[in-house]
Amino acid sequence: MTLTQSAIDILSRNDRGGFTIPTKGLYPYQWNWDSAFVALGIATYDMDRAWGEITSLIEGQWPDGMIPSIIFRSDDPDYFPGPSRWGKTKGPIPSTGISQPPVLATIVRKLTEDGSVQDKARLADVFDAIYRWHAWWHDARTVDGIVTTVHPWETGRDNCPEWNLGLDAMTVAPDLAPYTRRDNKHVDASFRPSQEQYDKYLTIVQFGDSVDWDQRRLTDEGPFLMADPNLHFVLLRADKDLRAMAAELGKPQAVRDQIDAWIAKGEAATDTIWNDELGAFTARDMHSGTFCNGFSNCSPLCFYADSGSAEQWGKTIDHMTRIAAQVDYMLPSWDPEAPDFEAQRYWCGPLWPQMNYMTALGLAEQGHSDMAARVQNDLCRVIEKSGFWECFNPLTGEGCVGNNFSWTAAVWLSWQHDKKLEGVA
Ligand code: GLC
């Protein structure tokens, strides 16, 4: 069987009737940004089903506009923390009380551009929901002019060492309700976050429930508050794509002006996460103002968002060139020279398919064709070597955590379909 056929099979096996799970066992529900990437992959062979993935995600939208990170359409006893642990959340379908990186607008725009007249009509159906979600980020999660996060899981980069800054500054709730982890049952514990980290993750969840999931209070009063280059750059790019779609749909001037204001706000905030000492975009603790000090796989998303100065971009390429000489497979999630780099522990080192997708796209768009090619080709090579894993050891190319993974299959399909990114060497 060809890899392309295997990728299609993975997506259909992970289909749970209108929505797609990331992988069987470890992740039995619908995840937010996973579904967006899944739609990108399915669109290469079934546009109707791709739009279905998007509308099923939107079905979970809260009245305040948030689209949650996980939608629990059932209660799987094998997953923790499931719906009961999140408490009285506010969506029409049980869900988590936090969101995930808003890549949806960018992917919807691509589907619309590649699609037919009917796809343009479908865009009209989903535009308002996405617009309300972006408004939610700008209203409920913005502090000092920049989008922030209240929980490492909201960034999609669950246990990246960047979060230690915010986690170290908080304490575990003395009344934290007891629990049993399930993630370690499915995969090797060495891949997964530590116990102390887990206690803190659940402390934040307990806090959210204690304020009745009032998202502004969670942002202002919660125990954890950090700015994240992933959320910042993904949202800024998505705002630009939303703006283009608003024009395409002939949306009222007030809507376009609002999106323009979000974009201006985002551009102005880019310097807030520029760590001058390191010469890279990093996460930053918003309580103390302290920067994290490692180059991650979202540092180069400045290209994807088309934001930052020529000097910032030059230094970012310098870091990538240095790292490219140290790993067989770009782009590791954490700097291989950092003391807390671990080649197979989740966001502490492995390369992640969806991050390579966004990074390669941004580099290609901004004319860095050689680096774009390296990032794209390395992901393709590692899939050819090991298969469709959740993430990969950047030194050996071995697969890590979950296998038969939806977004890995989806990125493969998208690149096979487009053959090559425009601008890749
Ligand atoms: C992990 C990843 C997150 C992803 C989820 C489902 O929690 O860190 O980004 O959305 O798995 O694949």
Side-chain angles (χ1 to χ4, degrees):
M1 198 193 309
T2 63
L3 280 172
T4 296
Q5 190 54 50
S6 303
I8 294 172
D9 285 358
I10 287 170
L11 290 174
S12 49
R13 281 204 305 275
N14 288 341
D15 188 326
R16 290 293 174 274
F19 71 94
T20 307
I21 60 167
T23 188
K24 204 170 138 214
L26 185 61
Y27 305 122
Y29 301 111
Q30 183 174 26
W31 262 256
N32 185 321
W33 69 330
D34 294 68
S35 262
F37 286 105
V38 160
L40 179 77
I42 297 182
T44 63
Y45 59 91
D46 185 347
M47 212 37 135
D48 286 346
R49 179 61 187 78
W51 281 102
E53 190 72 26
I54 289 163
T55 49
S56 69
L57 177 61
I58 288 172
E59 278 169 17
Q61 185 165 39
W62 287 23
D64 68 3
M66 182 183 80
I67 303 184
S69 62
I70 310 174
I71 300 176
F72 302 120
R73 285 191 171 81
S74 56
D75 191 353
D76 187 327
D78 222 16
Y79 181 85
F80 181 84
S84 58
R85 186 71 183 203
W86 287 87
K88 290 181 290 305
T89 50
K90 297 264 191 314
I93 308 173
S95 72
T96 59
I98 55 173
S99 196
Q100 255 193 337
V103 287
L104 191 61
T106 301
I107 286 170
V108 163
R109 185 176 179 204
K110 178 157 170 53
L111 259 54
T112 311
E113 280 176 349
D114 293 355
S116 60
V117 177
Q118 288 97 308
D119 297 312
K120 297 211 184 345
R122 286 159 157 160
L123 165 63
D125 292 341
V126 300
F127 180 92
D128 290 351
I130 302 177
Y131 177 83
R132 289 207 303 120
W133 186 26
H134 284 213
W136 176 85
W137 282 109
H138 291 292
D139 295 341
R141 282 283 187 271
T142 294
V143 172
D144 295 340
I146 187 163
V147 67
T148 59
T149 184
V150 298
H151 197 304
W153 292 345
E154 192 165 65
T155 69
R157 306 190 295 135
D158 304 23
N159 71 328
C160 180
E162 301 215 71
W163 312 131
N164 294 344
L165 206 56
L167 292 173
D168 287 350
M170 64 175 274
T171 47
V172 174
D175 61 343
L176 184 66
Y179 66 95
T180 308
R181 283 174 74 166
R182 299 282 169 199
D183 58 316
N184 284 342
K185 280 183 54 184
H186 296 283
V187 292
D188 187 333
S190 69
F191 292 155
R192 298 286 305 174
S194 71
Q195 193 55 43
E196 198 200 335
Q197 282 171 339
Y198 234 80
D199 285 349
K200 291 185 174 172
Y201 298 151
L202 291 168
T203 294
I204 306 171
V205 171
Q206 192 158 296
F207 180 86
D209 198 33
S210 77
V211 295
D212 216 11
W213 295 107
D214 175 331
Q215 295 290 342
R216 192 65 239 183
R217 284 191 65 192
L218 181 53
T219 304
D220 291 339
E221 301 165 32
F224 181 97
L225 186 72
M226 293 188 72
D228 168 31
N230 198 31
L231 284 177
H232 169 68
F233 287 130
V234 166
L235 178 62
L236 182 51
R237 164 78 189 233
D239 276 335
K240 292 177 180 179
D241 288 316
L242 194 69
R243 178 66 178 81
M245 293 189 288
E248 167 85 27
L249 290 171
K251 286 285 169 187
Q253 194 58 43
V255 169
R256 300 188 212 189
D257 289 348
Q258 177 62 78
I259 306 173
D260 283 338
W262 292 338
I263 294 169
K265 171 204 155 206
E267 295 288 10
T270 292
D271 276 343
T272 306
I273 50 166
W274 176 251
N275 176 337
D276 207 27
E277 210 178 313
L278 184 70
F281 292 106
T282 69
R284 188 172 185 185
D285 184 23
M286 296 301 285
H287 287 147
S288 65
T290 317
F291 283 100
C292 302
N293 62 357
F295 191 90
S296 75
N297 58 348
C298 62
S299 302
L301 290 183
C302 51
F303 299 106
Y304 174 80
D306 187 10
S307 188
S309 67
E311 195 195 340
Q312 288 166 339
W313 284 17
K315 288 185 174 174
T316 302
I317 291 289
D318 290 347
H319 278 292
M320 293 186 84
T321 307
R322 171 180 62 78
I323 291 170
Q326 294 174 36
V327 297
D328 278 349
Y329 301 94
M330 284 286 265
L331 171 68
S333 44
W334 194 235
D335 193 329
E337 285 183 39
D340 38 13
F341 171 81
E342 290 183 78
Q344 62 169 26
R345 195 187 286 274
Y346 222 42
W347 289 92
C348 304
L351 81 86
W352 287 76
Q354 83 290 12
M355 300 305 291
N356 274 40
Y357 174 85
M358 293 188 291
T359 305
L361 179 61
L363 287 165
E365 286 172 345
Q366 304 309 331
H368 292 283
S369 55
D370 289 341
M371 192 59 84
R374 172 83 199 258
V375 171
Q376 183 175 43
N377 294 340
D378 283 7
L379 176 59
C380 294
R381 281 198 303 126
V382 87
I383 291 173
E384 279 157 9
K385 178 183 161 116
S386 301
F388 294 97
W389 288 83
E390 176 172 4
C391 52
F392 300 87
N393 181 322
L395 305 177
T396 64
E398 280 165 282
C400 303
V401 205
N403 197 359
N404 299 314
F405 215 82
S406 291
W407 64 22
T408 315
V411 170
W412 173 270
L413 288 170
S414 172
W415 280 349
Q416 293 306 308
H417 187 260
D418 292 352
K419 292 295 177 225
K420 257 186 164 188
L421 285 174
E422 234 175 276
V424 165

